[in-house]
Amino acid sequence: MLSRPYAFNCILRLRTSSEFSPGHSYGHFFLDPQYENVQHIICCDSYATYAYDFDFANNTGFSRHVAEQPVLQIAFQYTVVVPPEELKSSEPVSSSRSKNSLKRRLRIRTLQFGTSQNINELYDSVDPEVVLSLLVHKVILASLGQGVREGRILLHDWLVILTAQYNDAFKLAQCKNGSSGTSHIDVSFSQCPQLQPLPRLVFALLRNPLLRLHEEGVHPDYRIYLQCLFRYLLLMLILESFTYPKGIYNVLNC
């Protein structure tokens, strides 16, 4: 890890087109006290992950009649250590100067996204690993503000609501013995392969020491350590932090 290239003194700014805007942000950074949607990062590498919630600017969302697609622009300014052989020929290297130099760089990436036209396209575009990363951030935030027990409840409720909305969208819920009988609910998301890993991922997160209570054998200091660590490294630590049944591990292994 020490030999890996790092960026220092970083500034990350996110801009969007007018239909939506960044909401809550998650990651190993701190907010700029003056400018909106600007984060400062002390140092990071290619494995650092940052996440954002987005909010619609109004209740119409993305208009289907507008030709332009939503746009997201990321500006990333950082300092990197550059060895002498990577410097431009126009920048002579003094023999008395140190072997490496500090360079300030700016990268700008502009992305245009398509929008889902129906619920099927929305579910098909789901990335389970990204969803899990966002859930971890949200659960940690809830645990810090309202306690671990509340974080567990929120995660459980999220899966229940997702399952109910999925069954309602695909009209899968059926009553076996009339209106007063028991209902058959598709809890395995059989109609949508992209959603199928999510129940097992949520189960893995619920079984993780991050969301286990003190009376279950998890020391509060260890839980705080996991909260700090997961904010930066997230997914791989979750997958490696407890023993899976073999079938579940095959699904979760990334």
Side-chain angles (χ1 to χ4, degrees), residues 1-8 44-47 80-81:
M1 291 180 63
L2 294 175
S3 64
R4 185 184 303 157
Y6 278 83
F8 302 92
C44 68
D45 61 9
S46 58
Y47 291 91
V80 66
V81 178

Side-chain angles (χ1 to χ4, degrees), residues 47-61:
Y47 291 91
T49 303
Y50 308 101
Y52 293 86
D53 289 330
F54 293 98
D55 300 318
F56 284 119
N58 50 60
N59 57 9
T60 60

Side-chain angles (χ1 to χ4, degrees), residues 21-120:
S21 61
H24 204 90
S25 56
Y26 310 91
H28 203 66
F29 48 56
F30 58 94
L31 300 178
D32 188 277
Q34 183 177 0
Y35 299 103
E36 191 177 6
N37 300 324
V38 176
Q39 286 85 26
H40 294 268
I41 305 166
I42 297 175
C43 69
C44 68
D45 61 9
S46 58
Y47 291 91
T49 303
Y50 308 101
Y52 293 86
D53 289 330
F54 293 98
D55 300 318
F56 284 119
N58 50 60
N59 57 9
T60 60
F62 296 124
S63 175
R64 299 184 181 184
H65 307 291
V66 178
E68 288 138 3
Q69 296 178 326
V71 176
L72 177 69
Q73 186 180 76
I74 305 168
F76 185 60
Q77 190 176 41
Y78 61 99
T79 299
V80 66
V81 178
V82 180
E85 57 269 17
E86 293 187 17
L87 293 174
K88 295 180 180 179
S89 58
S90 59
E91 301 179 12
V93 180
S94 173
S95 59
S96 62
R97 201 170 63 181
S98 60
K99 294 182 179 180
N100 297 322
S101 300
L102 295 178
K103 295 289 291 184
R104 193 70 173 162
R105 293 177 176 173
L106 174 64
R107 297 287 183 267
I108 298 177
R109 182 80 184 273
T110 303
L111 305 169
Q112 195 171 38
F113 296 97
T115 57
S116 300
Q117 299 301 314
N118 52 61
I119 194 67
N120 298 52

Side-chain angles (χ1 to χ4, degrees), residues 15-236:
R15 301 174 62 194
T16 63
S17 50
S18 59
E19 309 98 314
F20 68 117
S21 61
H24 204 90
S25 56
Y26 310 91
H28 203 66
F29 48 56
F30 58 94
L31 300 178
D32 188 277
Q34 183 177 0
Y35 299 103
E36 191 177 6
N37 300 324
V38 176
Q39 286 85 26
H40 294 268
I41 305 166
I42 297 175
C43 69
C44 68
D45 61 9
S46 58
Y47 291 91
T49 303
Y50 308 101
Y52 293 86
D53 289 330
F54 293 98
D55 300 318
F56 284 119
N58 50 60
N59 57 9
T60 60
F62 296 124
S63 175
R64 299 184 181 184
H65 307 291
V66 178
E68 288 138 3
Q69 296 178 326
V71 176
L72 177 69
Q73 186 180 76
I74 305 168
F76 185 60
Q77 190 176 41
Y78 61 99
T79 299
V80 66
V81 178
V82 180
E85 57 269 17
E86 293 187 17
L87 293 174
K88 295 180 180 179
S89 58
S90 59
E91 301 179 12
V93 180
S94 173
S95 59
S96 62
R97 201 170 63 181
S98 60
K99 294 182 179 180
N100 297 322
S101 300
L102 295 178
K103 295 289 291 184
R104 193 70 173 162
R105 293 177 176 173
L106 174 64
R107 297 287 183 267
I108 298 177
R109 182 80 184 273
T110 303
L111 305 169
Q112 195 171 38
F113 296 97
T115 57
S116 300
Q117 299 301 314
N118 52 61
I119 194 67
N120 298 52
E121 290 185 11
L122 181 64
Y123 285 149
D124 288 340
S125 67
V126 168
D127 187 324
E129 294 177 5
V130 173
V131 172
L132 178 64
S133 297
L134 286 168
L135 286 175
V136 172
H137 281 301
K138 290 176 179 293
V139 164
I140 290 177
L141 190 64
S143 299
L144 292 174
Q146 305 173 38
V148 177
R149 197 180 302 275
E150 184 65 24
R152 291 174 59 93
I153 293 173
L154 289 174
L155 183 61
H156 180 271
D157 290 348
W158 177 87
L159 183 60
V160 170
I161 292 171
L162 174 66
T163 305
Q165 291 179 338
Y166 159 80
N167 277 268
D168 181 64
F170 286 90
K171 309 299 181 185
L172 298 174
Q174 298 178 355
C175 195
K176 290 184 177 180
N177 301 314
S179 58
S180 61
T182 59
S183 297
H184 172 70
I185 306 294
D186 180 9
V187 297
S188 60
F189 300 102
S190 59
Q191 302 295 320
C192 184
Q194 292 299 104
L195 296 178
Q196 291 174 9
L198 287 177
R200 297 183 179 186
L201 291 170
V202 171
F203 169 77
L205 186 53
L206 288 171
R207 292 291 299 165
N208 191 273
L210 182 71
L211 289 179
R212 294 175 67 182
L213 304 174
H214 179 62
E215 51 266 32
E216 295 178 314
V218 178
H219 195 280
D221 289 345
Y222 180 60
R223 188 184 303 111
I224 293 173
Y225 157 74
L226 289 178
Q227 290 174 354
C228 296
L229 203 59
F230 279 25
R231 286 177 176 181
Y232 186 67
L233 298 177
L234 277 180
L235 186 60
M236 288 308 299

